Amino acid sequence: MSAPTDPEAVIARLRALRELDAPTHGGHVLSYVYDSGLAAVDEVAARAIREVLPVNGLDPTTFRSVGVLEAELVGFVRGLLHGDAEVVGSATSGGTESCLLAVKTARELWRQTHPRGRARLLAPTTVHAAFQKAAAYLDLELDLVPVGPDGAVSAADVVARLGDDVALVVLSAPNYPFAVLDPVAEVAEVTAERGIALHVDACIGGLVLPFWPGELPPWDFRVPGVTSVSADLHKFGYAPKGASVLLQRGRDRQRHQFFATTRWPGYPVVNPTILGSKSAGPLAAAWAITETLGTQGLGELAASCARATAALRETVAGIEGLRVVGEPVGPLFAVASDDSVPAERQVDPHHWADAVRAHGFVLQLQPALRQADGTVLPSTTHLTVTPVTEAVLGELGAALVAGADAVRGIPHVDASALLAALPPLDETALDADTVWALLQGFGIGGGAELPDAQAPLVAVIEALPPALAERLLVELLGRLVEPA
Ligand SMILES: *Cc1c(COP(=O)(O)O)cnc(C)c1O
């Protein structure tokens, strides 16, 4: 038994713990957090959450407000993405849930006409990892189409792999790693003709591309073959985490998203999404923010993102030894080493990210990746630009330049010695303590703080066979939350 604690003390402890976090506001973290920079947006979200704090989103017939909020939020996003009255949707807990449900829907539909066999999910290598998760959870064969060195997939390469077993093709608007806008219309023309479902993952782009300056090729419900689209409110909708929308073309399609059962002694269950009892907080917050900002407010925030993105891309283009990968669309891009200059003038993107972090800005390291055809996508560093970025452009630009100057000519961390020193291992048979010992052998974990320099950690991930790297990461995260 433990004695009660004064709530003030409990909250004080929480405050102290929050000091451990990366800053969620102010534009110093260029991933994970999407700060509008508007105090009124945060305030209306917090008030909305407080209003619905005790509500159970499980049952909109008992908690009628939930149904209204969801219908209005879905309607708002549907309007942005040019859906007509045929397009219906659900609020979900985030991009991953929207993606999982898009895959579930397509799989159920495919099974109606293919009672035997295993469905295939076809997508470029750059598709979000949530679809790897969906394929694993829902038992689809994952077929990843290699992309070019610019991160772009060719429509012809996708079309060439279509087949009767393909339950769903997924394209992105844009993809997360390199911000490439996939060739939606070109692929849709063929999938529509062949009756194959096509999901557009606009989790990151859905609430910002509609306002992006310049003409973009159509990628949303304007394209007739697009059967579903996911868009996250907790990204460029500036809502607290836990808010996304999945839109589907056609009620008959969307009903396959649901799970219902009357075959137990409890209440009849009908769930459009994965969770049962759920918070109405993120939904209410996302709704309140879209109502407060309107499309005009979202448009102004997108314009700020666009100005800041253009400025940062110019800054990076001016740094000797670095280059922006491909032709990114939207408020994000990846940076790689520029191998058109001599090695001693090149800047390794991971050392660069570590150096920029020392100047107070957190960028996201992306490991190199070998694709199915043997080609290798380079190590990169990812930046997501938000409306607050514009206010720190000077400071950030200076950090990007100084970081590059500090590490120019330093080669990428070589983890091959590490790999050579590894005893032969069977990843499937490793127990938790053996993996933990391995991690400690790499200087990771062991009760110590996570290291400030991430380049060595990512180099280990790049060098190890994926199954082993994945097992090590599982162990690291598992140990992180073990009670002392
Ligand atoms: C963020 C993101 C997702 C997954 O979303 P979560 O909200 O992190 O679950 C899926 N696709 C893309 C393109 C994303 O950027």
Side-chain angles (χ1 to χ4, degrees), residues 381-393:
T381 286
H382 174 107
L383 291 81
T384 296
V385 176
T386 62
V388 281
T389 309
E390 204 173 15
V392 296
L393 263 184

Side-chain angles (χ1 to χ4, degrees), residues 89-100:
S90 302
T92 73
S93 64
T96 297
E97 192 179 18
S98 292
C99 297
L100 281 169

Side-chain angles (χ1 to χ4, degrees), residues 94-96 99 128 174 176 201 203-204 232 234-235:
T96 297
C99 297
H128 195 278
Y176 184 85
D201 178 10
C203 279
I204 200 155
D232 288 355
H234 66 202
K235 285 180 181 156

Side-chain angles (χ1 to χ4, degrees), residues 1-78:
M1 222 187 315
S2 65
T5 306
D6 173 16
E8 288 309 318
V10 173
I11 297 298
R13 172 97 205 290
L14 179 56
R15 287 240 161 98
L17 290 173
R18 287 280 285 107
E19 295 289 314
L20 301 172
D21 294 344
T24 55
H25 287 77
H28 283 256
V29 178
L30 285 96
S31 56
Y32 303 113
V33 289
Y34 300 76
D35 182 4
S36 70
L38 303 174
V41 164
D42 289 351
E43 183 58 23
V44 81
R47 286 175 62 191
I49 288 176
R50 184 135 199 130
E51 290 293 332
V52 299
L53 205 53
V55 164
N56 190 345
L58 169 66
D59 184 359
T61 66
T62 304
F63 300 98
R64 300 288 287 271
S65 67
V66 174
V68 176
L69 296 178
E70 183 162 354
E72 292 191 10
L73 185 66
V74 166
F76 182 89
V77 179
R78 180 176 74 176

